[in-house]
Amino acid sequence: MNNVIEISHLTKSYGKNRGVIDVSLKVEEGDIFGFIGPNGAGKSTTIRSMLGFLKFKEGSIKILGMDSVKDREKILREVGYMPSEAWFYNTMKVSEVIKYAADVRGIDCSREAEMLCERLKVDKNKRIKELSLGNRKKVSIVCAMQHKPKLFIFDEPTGGLDPLMQRTFFELIEEYVSKGTTCLLSTHVLSEVNKYCRNAAIMREGRLTMLESSQIDDDTFLKFYED
């Protein structure tokens, strides 16, 4: 099985403030990988380093076999990234945002976008400023999924989604993964990892601890949170 993500001894600091320290991580093709930890643990810093949004001090990162620094543009074409903040231009219509996200990639995603909007109950005629947090999240999910990428990276995706939409979201992930996609799910919701993820890692105070699939349960997570 090929590794879709390979992080080796990643270190990123912000002066006196902690970033991430000596992080090493591998995610195999076809995995739904839970990346869990409290706010401020270093999850978003790791993800932004992976995607080339942050320059890191030490270590190396390979995504889909490509170097995260040298091959950044190629990597971004093959990744569906959903940041934790679902920010868009307030005056744009939902349909315009979704089409813009596809046009940036130079591909026609209209058929897949239509399916996703129907499943997630997205109103394409509304303007972004009219949407609740949950509905903005759904637009962000469509933008991340519509080009059928080889790798999903979701950063706190389910905040604001009602339970039905949360279930639909994970059903979609499982459907894409069954067709060959890999998913990295960053979250602080223990139950999501316990229910949906096959393997996981815990970030705490900038350091990472890997877990085997057999260790994914609430008692294990709480132990790491409380120690």
Side-chain angles (χ1 to χ4, degrees), residues 83-90 97 128 133 136-137 139-140 143:
S84 57
E85 307 87 4
W87 295 111
F88 306 101
Y89 292 111
N90 280 333
V97 170
I128 294 298
L133 170 62
R136 290 200 305 273
K137 287 273 190 174
V139 175
S140 191
C143 290

Side-chain angles (χ1 to χ4, degrees), residues 203-217:
M203 286 289 293
R204 187 180 176 201
E205 298 182 353
R207 297 186 182 274
L208 179 141
T209 301
M210 292 288 294
L211 295 176
E212 299 295 332
S213 57
S214 60
Q215 296 176 287
I216 301 177
D217 58 61

Side-chain angles (χ1 to χ4, degrees), residues 12-70:
K12 167 67 181 177
S13 60
Y14 299 95
K16 294 181 180 179
N17 297 321
R18 183 188 66 247
V20 296
I21 305 163
D22 196 29
V23 168
S24 294
L25 171 69
K26 292 182 180 180
V27 178
E28 290 186 347
E29 184 179 3
D31 201 357
I32 302 175
F33 192 96
F35 195 40
I36 193 163
N39 292 331
K43 303 189 305 297
S44 293
T45 295
T46 303
I47 287 172
R48 289 167 184 160
S49 298
M50 289 166 55
L51 296 173
F53 300 148
L54 290 177
K55 293 182 179 180
F56 48 90
K57 181 180 179 182
E58 297 175 15
S60 63
I61 302 174
K62 284 189 175 181
I63 307 294
L64 296 163
M66 295 180 283
D67 184 273
S68 67
V69 177
K70 296 177 182 177

